[in-house]
Amino acid sequence: MRIATAVIGLLALAALVGCKSPTYGGGGGGGGGGGGGGPAGEIIVGNILFKSSHNGTQNPAIDTVAVGSTVTWTWTATGSVAHSVQSQGTPNFTSSAVETGDGKTYSFTFTTPGTYQYDCAVHGAAMSGRIVVR
């Protein structure tokens, strides 16, 4: 009887651990899942995805940063596929050039509060993200 109770308790604990949500971004988006553990404002540019290194959200990658923070996008495992960071809507920020190759980076310092939407100039809405500046 004690073993059965212990097993049920462990299963309940495992179920609760699987329900954790991202620290920022209010729950992620399509395909989010899995916290990244990196600092807020570090975004991976991958093959047809933007992914937050902080909380694991992707397409949209969602990060919340303080006013004055610099956000950096890093091209990782993209091979020969071109990507960019393209600001969408208002407020906006300076967009990156279209780049090809792993290790490329683009950084922008956000000095005004707001919600900034972005996508890839090559792939459009298939690659998207949002930076919330507070």
Side-chain angles (χ1 to χ4, degrees):
M1 184 65 140
R2 288 185 203 168
I3 293 174
T5 303
V7 169
I8 290 171
L10 287 173
L11 290 173
L13 180 61
L16 287 173
V17 170
C19 292
K20 78 175 197 167
S21 64
T23 305
Y24 293 105
E42 296 290 329
I43 311 294
I44 295 167
V45 180
N47 260 337
I48 322 298
L49 70 83
F50 288 113
K51 182 176 181 178
S52 167
S53 292
H54 177 67
N55 59 39
T57 56
Q58 68 183 42
N59 291 339
I62 303 169
D63 267 82
T64 301
V65 299
V67 170
S69 294
T70 299
V71 174
T72 301
W73 291 263
T74 302
W75 279 240
T76 306
T78 58
S80 61
V81 180
H83 299 291
S84 74
V85 178
Q86 175 177 262
S87 183
Q88 296 289 312
T90 303
N92 59 23
F93 61 94
T94 305
S95 298
S96 77
V98 175
E99 299 277 4
T100 303
D102 294 346
K104 303 285 189 190
T105 62
Y106 175 69
S107 296
F108 185 82
T109 301
F110 290 87
T111 59
T112 304
T115 299
Y116 297 81
Q117 307 285 341
Y118 63 91
D119 68 9
C120 173
V122 177
H123 299 98
M127 289 178 68
S128 65
R130 179 169 52 239
I131 303 295
V132 179
V133 181
R134 295 186 179 157

